[in-house]
C-alpha cells in the first residue's frame, strides 16, 4: 500500500481549504504561506500566473457556488516533488460535482510551485 506523507497531505488539505474560505482576506492569509512566489495555477477555465490571479479566480468560483467546499477524495500520491490527488466539490445543498484530479509540483521549501487541474473522470479509450 502506498504511504502518504503527512506534510504533503497537510499541504494539500490546506490548499483545498483555501478554495473553501469565504473571506477574501483570510483566503489570502491561508494561501500565501503555502504558495511559492512564482507559482502558477492552470485548469480548463483559467491560467493564473501568480497568487493575486489565483485568488481573483477563487473569488469568482465561490461567487458562482457560494458555500461550496473542495474536499480531497484520495490519498496524496507523491514522488520527486510531484503530487497528485483527487477531489470533488460539495455544494452548499450537499450535492457533489464530478471528481477532479490535480497535479502539483512542490518546491524545495515545501511550497506549492505549480498546480494543474482536470475536471471530471477520464473517458475510456475506444481501443481498450
Amino acid at each position: 500500500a502506498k504511504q502518504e506523507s503527512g506534510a504533503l497531505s497537510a499541504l494539500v488539505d490546506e490548499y483545498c481549504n483555501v478554495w473553501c474560505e469565504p473571506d477574501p482576506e483570510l483566503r489570502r492569509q491561508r494561501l500565501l504561506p503555502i504558495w511559492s512566489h512564482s507559482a502558477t495555477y492552470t485548469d480548463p477555465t483559467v491560467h493564473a500566473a501568480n497568487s493575486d490571479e489565483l485568488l481573483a479566480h477563487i473569488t469568482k468560483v465561490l461567487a458562482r457556488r457560494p458555500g461550496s467546499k473542495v474536499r480531497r477524495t484520495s490519498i496524496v500520491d507523491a514522488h520527486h516533488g510531484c503530487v497528485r490527488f483527487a477531489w470533488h466539490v460539495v455544494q452548499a445543498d450537499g450535492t457533489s460535482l464530478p471528481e477532479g484530479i490535480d497535479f502539483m509540483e512542490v518546491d524545495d521549501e515545501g511550497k506549492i510551485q505549480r498546480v494543474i487541474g482536470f475536471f471530471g473522470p477520464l473517458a475510456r479509450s475506444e481501443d481498450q
Side-chain angles (χ1 to χ4, degrees), residues 9 14 24 38 48 54 58 66 69 74 78 86 88-89 94 101 107 114 127:
S9 295
E14 181 62 6
S38 59
L54 176 57
I58 295 172
K69 306 283 187 208
S74 73
H88 70 175
V89 172
I101 189 166
D107 69 14
R114 185 178 188 195
D127 301 331

Side-chain angles (χ1 to χ4, degrees), residues 13-91:
D13 289 342
E14 181 62 6
Y15 169 73
C16 290
N17 287 336
V18 169
W19 283 85
C20 305
E21 176 52 62
D23 181 273
E25 187 49 42
L26 289 177
R27 195 159 52 239
R28 172 178 295 280
Q29 289 174 21
R30 291 185 94 149
L31 178 66
L32 293 184
I34 62 171
W35 196 252
S36 169
H37 177 69
S38 59
T40 62
Y41 171 86
T42 310
D43 74 24
T45 66
V46 69
H47 175 73
N50 56 51
S51 59
D52 287 341
E53 289 182 11
L54 176 57
L55 288 164
H57 175 66
I58 295 172
T59 297
K60 287 183 202 163
V61 169
L62 287 174
R64 283 198 306 270
R65 47 175 205 239
S68 66
K69 306 283 187 208
V70 173
R71 296 286 182 238
R72 177 166 61 93
T73 57
S74 73
I75 66 163
V76 173
D77 186 23
H79 65 82
H80 300 93
C82 299
V83 177
R84 69 175 174 163
F85 61 95
W87 52 269
H88 70 175
V89 172
V90 180
Q91 302 192 95

